[in-house]
Amino acid sequence: MTLAPPLPPALAPARSRARVLSPVLPVVAVVALLALPVSPGGEGGAGPADALSALVVLFCVVRLARARRRPLSRTAAVVLGLPVAGLTLAALGASSPGAGVGGLGRYLQIFVLVPAAVLLLIRDRSDVRLLAWSFVGLAGWQGAVGAHQFVTGTGASYQGEEIRAVGTFGPQDVMGMATVVSLGLVCALGLALDRTGGRRRLVAAACALALLLPLALSFSRGAWIATAVACSAQLVLAGLRRALRVGAVALAAGVVLVGGFGVGSAMLQERIGSITQVAAAPDQSVTDRYTMWAAAVGMWREQPLTGVGLKGFPEHRDAHASLALSAGSDTEGAGSAYRKQPLLSPHNMYLLVLGEQGLLGLLTLGGCWLALLVCSLRGLWRTRRSGTPGADCGYVACGLLLWQLTDFLYADIGGPSTVLTAVALGLVAWWALVGGDRTGEARDGREEALGR
């Protein structure tokens, strides 16, 4: 075997720069753009980060064309391409061509194109860590803004007071900051579980603890539940003893914040208690949610195989909803005037897909997510069994996917923060389909060398 000759001294800096300037940096820029404030009174639709994500997909295509290599393995192509069949049929069944094309483009962006581009732009586990730290950094910024809003009374309106932490997303996207902070917390915990991280582990653990406060101040019950499920799963996967130790630390931090300093203790207790009040005395938001869930199920029963078509929920909602549904949710504060925001989705991704895309759409999208989950868990198990570095990337990937799958029980896509879901799915897809393999690190190194 012939060893490659060493690089001349003049070319050594170029090689070093090639290693530093990772192709995943444009994806990091997409995450960074979510730190920009949303214009007050905006509709909460696509933003600058969505536009940049389209450029990232184009950049990936150009890079693949120059490298002249097969973009995806057969397994990756099947898993990521699975939702296309259901989406295409649902687009054909939309009420208008515009609605069909618009809905198809949005779904392809979030669940197919951007995740595939992120998968292809990640070279190795160092890139995964870089992307995970960008999530943590964005969460820290949005959490700091949200905590300031609570302290100064400049947040979104909640129970007559403008104290709800929404970050830069405004009251039209009250789940935006909660989503960002939750995903950042999950990434920080995954990085902290690395047994070889040293000082990096301590920094990640401190970030995870610090993000508990803005997450609590978001008053988002769905984000709380999803974060609890994802973080608990990460800790159990890392070992039961570690789970008990970290759980005790988190519980102590919660007692100090809420009990010791009285950080919104009464409102938090009331909000937590309302999670179980779905039958006895639910608040109007819970009533609206369950009414819209029933409406989505009614649409599915009307068209069980293909649904009512993409973006068809608002048009068919009133025909299937009961009189218990309110006219909309009140939004105010955080720099925006009072407005009545219409309820245009069931706030449950699975039921939204079932109602608009039918059983076929739910099976294809759900099949994609289930395959990613199985492959991610298998990759983490292989990495831990072999003792190779990189288990922290597995914890991050599994945590992000479990958070998203749980949150989809209480939320669906929509708003500027949705592009973060696409980036997270791309990170998960890389771990599930490439990085979880014990030889993945070596393969990444060979592909990186060929790319040069």
Side-chain angles (χ1 to χ4, degrees):
M1 182 177 179
T2 304
L3 295 177
L7 286 174
L11 296 181
R15 179 170 182 174
S16 177
R17 286 193 299 270
R19 285 179 175 175
V20 172
L21 298 178
S22 166
V24 84
L25 288 177
V27 184
V28 174
V30 172
V31 177
L33 276 181
L34 289 173
L36 298 177
V38 177
S39 58
E43 294 298 326
D50 293 282
L52 184 57
S53 71
L55 294 179
V56 167
V57 173
L58 181 60
F59 167 72
C60 182
V61 171
V62 172
R63 189 169 180 268
L64 289 175
R66 292 183 61 186
R68 296 181 180 180
R69 62 185 176 90
R70 191 173 72 178
L72 294 171
S73 66
R74 290 181 180 177
T75 303
V78 170
V79 171
L80 292 179
L82 193 60
V84 176
L87 290 172
T88 303
L89 283 177
L92 294 175
S95 59
S96 67
V101 172
L104 179 63
R106 185 63 162 166
Y107 273 94
L108 289 179
Q109 174 205 6
I110 302 303
F111 297 116
V112 181
L113 297 178
V114 174
V118 174
L119 181 154
L120 293 167
L121 292 175
I122 293 176
R123 296 177 304 183
D124 50 33
R125 294 171 184 178
S126 296
D127 285 350
V128 172
R129 295 185 184 101
L130 174 62
L131 196 53
W133 277 112
S134 72
F135 275 59
V136 177
L138 176 64
W141 163 249
Q142 292 289 354
V145 174
H148 179 266
Q149 290 171 335
F150 176 84
V151 172
T152 59
T154 56
S157 178
Y158 178 76
Q159 293 186 355
E161 300 181 60
E162 296 186 354
I163 58 170
R164 186 169 189 175
V166 292
T168 64
F169 293 100
Q172 286 78 31
D173 186 14
V174 293
M175 283 294 297
M177 191 212 75
T179 297
V180 168
V181 171
S182 298
L183 294 180
L185 196 157
V186 169
C187 288
L189 180 59
L191 294 169
L193 293 174
D194 183 13
R195 294 183 180 273
T196 61
R199 186 178 300 175
R200 185 179 63 202
R201 291 178 58 192
L202 297 178
V203 175
C207 291
L209 285 174
L211 290 173
L212 288 174
L213 176 60
L215 178 60
L217 299 180
S218 70
F219 296 104
S220 174
R221 293 167 294 196
W224 293 346
I225 295 172
T227 303
V229 170
C231 292
S232 299
Q234 286 177 303
L235 293 170
V236 170
L237 290 172
L240 192 56
R241 272 186 196 172
R242 299 177 79 184
L244 294 175
R245 288 199 302 267
V246 176
V249 172
L251 181 61
V255 170
V256 170
L257 285 174
V258 178
F261 295 107
V263 180
S265 56
M267 290 184 175
L268 286 175
Q269 290 173 6
E270 181 181 349
R271 192 68 167 170
I272 293 171
S274 68
I275 294 176
T276 60
Q277 292 176 354
V278 296
D283 58 32
Q284 186 59 47
S285 64
V286 174
T287 300
D288 287 339
R289 188 183 301 269
Y290 279 85
T291 302
M292 291 188 294
W293 287 7
V297 172
M299 296 176 200
W300 168 68
R301 288 174 177 169
E302 184 179 295
Q303 297 287 340
L305 188 60
T306 59
V308 297
L310 290 182
K311 291 196 172 183
F313 182 86
E315 182 179 348
H316 294 80
R317 183 199 64 184
D318 292 340
H320 296 87
S322 69
L323 296 177
L325 184 65
S326 66
S329 59
D330 299 331
T331 62
E332 188 179 10
S336 297
Y338 171 83
R339 61 170 294 189
K340 181 76 73 171
Q341 189 168 357
L343 304 174
L344 302 179
S345 70
H347 297 291
N348 181 306
M349 190 65 201
Y350 304 107
L351 292 179
L352 176 63
V353 172
L354 189 65
E356 292 188 345
Q357 303 178 39
L359 193 59
L360 181 61
L362 184 61
L363 288 176
T364 52
L365 262 176
C368 171
W369 300 335
L370 180 61
L372 290 178
L373 179 60
V374 171
C375 293
S376 295
L377 293 172
R378 184 181 63 180
L380 179 58
W381 178 75
R382 285 179 174 178
T383 302
R384 293 197 61 190
R385 186 184 64 173
S386 63
T388 56
D392 56 328
C393 299
Y395 296 133
V396 168
C398 292
L400 288 176
L401 185 55
L402 286 171
W403 187 93
Q404 199 63 71
L405 295 180
T406 306
D407 185 67
F408 276 162
L409 292 170
Y410 307 94
D412 46 50
I413 60 174
S417 60
T418 300
V419 70
L420 201 63
T421 298
V423 175
L425 289 176
L427 186 155
V428 171
W430 183 87
W431 173 259
L433 303 171
V434 178
D437 190 344
R438 285 178 297 177
T439 61
E441 201 71 42
R443 180 167 62 249
D444 292 337
R446 290 197 299 271
E447 291 184 354
E448 181 185 344
L450 291 173
R452 298 196 191 107

